Amino acid sequence: MTDVEIHAGGDHPDDRLRLVEPAWFPWLDHHRYAFSLGVRRGPEVWLSGQTASAFDPAEGTVTSGGDMTHQATVAWDKVLAVLSGAGLGPSHVTRVVEYVTAEGLARYPLAVGVREARLGGYQPAVATVPVEHLVRPDAWLEVEVSAHDQPDAFALVHLPTLTGQGATLAEQLESIFRKAAELLEPYGLGLSDVVKTVDYTTPATRREYRASGAVRRAYLGPDFPTATGVLV
């Protein structure tokens, strides 16, 4: 009934896990929840996903409503507030994951505009993940961010989500891996250096998903990276 993706960090002179506490976070009392807004280990910072959720005193509950521009603006306000608690800003962002509901997809370009404005010209890798719903039923967008003290010296390369071309799942995967190889080449890397892949596939591909194994063997083997498969 649930699938959990877990990351752990280590191998740094300062391996203490420290919570990131922003000086200003007026939207809701995050201390009531069983997660932190962000954590730091060494130079790396991971933030929890943020929606437009905010406590409404009139309703006495947390809501996430509004149009897409409003929702994206609030989500990024919250992201940047948490980043400031770690002494970081937009130029330190290395990766963004945006979870967009089916209802929000038609309005997604508005969210892209807000993100580009907030990042001020910086272009981290962006993964766009369509989902049926978010935990907040009135939310269309959730933004998750990773950051680094010195992004230019960051040792891990994040590629954005890549969409393939072709009539079959295997053909689309082949075009994705070829495109990935082209993007990695300027960094002196290749597909043999890949440490993790996350596949987002539609229900229509379920019957032919087994064919993806042959493509992965051809492009990523014989020492395979870790993998997560998500049906969307």
Side-chain angles (χ1 to χ4, degrees):
M1 297 175 66
T2 185
D3 197 359
V4 179
E5 183 176 331
I6 293 177
H7 303 260
D11 195 25
H12 186 272
D14 182 5
D15 272 344
R16 293 173 298 157
L17 187 67
R18 290 176 286 173
L19 301 185
V20 175
E21 284 287 344
W24 179 79
F25 199 83
W27 296 276
L28 46 77
D29 182 6
H30 63 280
H31 297 103
R32 297 178 58 190
Y33 299 93
F35 61 86
S36 64
L37 294 176
V39 295
R40 172 192 282 274
R41 188 184 291 274
E44 297 180 63
V45 175
W46 295 270
L47 271 58
S48 292
Q50 293 292 348
T51 66
S53 61
F55 181 73
D56 184 345
E59 297 290 334
T61 187
V62 175
T63 62
S64 306
D67 61 21
M68 181 59 91
T69 298
H70 170 78
Q71 292 201 20
T73 298
V74 174
W76 276 101
D77 283 346
K78 293 163 78 173
V79 165
L80 295 178
V82 180
L83 277 178
S84 69
L88 305 180
S91 64
H92 297 98
V93 175
T94 55
R95 183 171 186 258
V96 177
V97 183
E98 292 179 334
Y99 302 93
V100 189
T101 66
E103 187 176 357
L105 279 175
R107 305 165 176 87
Y108 184 56
L110 296 171
V112 173
V114 173
R115 183 219 313 142
E116 291 176 346
R118 289 309 174 91
L119 292 179
Y122 294 100
Q123 296 182 321
V126 177
T128 306
V129 184
V131 296
E132 186 174 358
H133 296 290
L134 292 167
V135 173
R136 300 291 180 187
D138 51 354
W140 294 336
L141 175 74
E142 183 160 350
V143 179
E144 174 191 318
V145 165
S146 304
H148 196 278
D149 271 347
Q150 298 176 304
D152 291 338
F154 192 42
L156 186 64
V157 174
H158 293 298
L159 296 185
T161 42
L162 302 174
T163 303
Q165 296 180 333
T168 67
L169 176 63
E171 290 174 353
Q172 292 191 17
L173 279 174
E174 286 192 72
S175 70
I176 287 171
F177 289 142
R178 288 196 297 268
K179 193 183 301 183
E182 294 174 2
L183 293 173
L184 290 170
E185 186 176 6
Y187 300 98
L189 302 174
L191 295 179
S192 62
D193 298 300
V194 173
V195 296
K196 177 184 178 181
T197 65
V198 183
D199 299 343
Y200 303 99
T201 56
T202 64
T205 65
R206 189 175 297 180
R207 290 190 176 182
E208 57 177 318
Y209 188 72
R210 181 171 293 184
S212 67
V215 180
R216 291 181 66 88
R217 289 187 183 91
Y219 284 87
L220 301 177
D223 299 319
F224 299 107
T226 61
T228 298
V230 182
L231 198 66
V232 299

